[in-house]
Amino acid sequence: MKMAGESQRIIFYPSQEPLPTPSPFTFSVAGSTTLSLSSQPAFRYANLFLRFGGFLFSFISAICLVFPSPQYRNYEPSTFLNTAELTYCFIVSILASIYSAYQLFKGVCDIAYRARFISDKMSDYSSFILDQLVAYLLISSSSILVLTIHRIIPTTSVWKSAVVSASMSCITFVIIAISTLQSGYKLCKRLIW
């Protein structure tokens, strides 16, 4: 029988390590400050890498539609301007590459000069909204491009360039979607936390 004033004795053996407790009081203020400062550049560099990938793949998608592979047979030369769907996909790819180049430029300025190209609050809102808009345009143009590929003759150079452009556009969509998640996280962090 245990008495009210009696304390319980805990025995630790040398081979047994104490378990860490998830207490907010275990970290000092200086430790949390260095933790937040060291994780911020990694977040910015990841965002910069994603923006560069979005620019690269959307630019390749647009270039593939403009410069199809050379034709070796005596077919009538065809370009993306002959089909309205391919023209739409070209315009969306150009818009996505311009937007990604702008975000890349803004990210480089933020990292290199430690200055803000635009205010943080405005940047978070505009990045979140424009990322979603560009992602929607990319997925709609990719789906239209896939349907258009089935109507083009498979031996033409436009067919080959449309297939490459569709794959690059899908990769760009995935990259912009990840960027949208990051900008949504930043916006939620600003609003809620």
Side-chain angles (χ1 to χ4, degrees):
M1 184 161 196
K2 197 176 194 183
M3 300 218 152
E6 192 176 317
S7 66
Q8 184 178 7
R9 191 169 68 169
I10 300 174
I11 300 173
F12 287 105
Y13 296 105
S15 63
Q16 184 182 23
E17 295 181 20
L19 295 173
T21 58
S23 172
F25 301 110
T26 58
F27 299 107
S28 67
V29 174
S32 64
T33 305
T34 58
L35 180 66
S36 67
L37 290 177
S38 66
S39 66
Q40 187 70 7
F43 186 77
R44 286 188 181 180
Y45 288 131
N47 190 20
L48 198 66
F49 179 73
L50 284 172
R51 299 298 182 177
F52 176 73
F55 170 72
L56 182 68
F57 287 114
S58 62
F59 188 71
I60 290 172
S61 176
I63 291 295
C64 287
L65 288 175
V66 172
F67 300 113
S69 62
Q71 297 179 353
Y72 296 109
R73 297 185 182 152
N74 293 327
Y75 288 121
E76 178 181 311
S78 59
T79 63
F80 71 96
L81 295 173
N82 296 342
T83 310
E85 293 89 355
L86 293 178
T87 306
Y88 172 69
C89 295
F90 172 74
I91 290 171
V92 168
S93 295
I94 289 294
L95 286 175
S97 61
I98 289 171
Y99 174 69
S100 296
Y102 163 73
Q103 288 288 348
L104 184 65
F105 174 73
K106 187 175 77 71
V108 167
C109 285
D110 288 349
I111 290 173
Y113 301 113
R114 297 180 188 242
R116 303 284 173 239
F117 194 62
I118 56 176
S119 69
D120 280 339
K121 187 175 183 180
M122 185 67 180
S123 174
D124 290 344
Y125 280 112
S126 65
S127 293
F128 182 67
I129 292 169
L130 291 175
D131 280 346
Q132 288 185 12
L133 180 67
V134 169
Y136 171 75
L137 288 173
L138 281 168
I139 199 65
S140 69
S141 71
S142 297
S143 61
I144 288 173
L145 194 55
V146 168
L147 293 175
T148 306
I149 287 171
H150 292 294
R151 290 187 300 148
I152 301 174
I153 301 170
T155 57
T156 62
S157 63
V158 173
W159 181 82
K160 294 174 188 174
S161 64
V163 168
V164 172
S165 179
S167 62
M168 293 296 131
S169 185
C170 287
I171 292 171
T172 306
F173 167 73
V174 170
I175 290 172
I176 296 291
I178 294 170
S179 297
T180 302
L181 291 174
Q182 277 189 342
S183 59
Y185 171 75
K186 281 178 62 178
L187 186 63
C188 286
K189 191 175 177 183
R190 173 175 295 283
L191 295 176
I192 296 172
W193 296 303

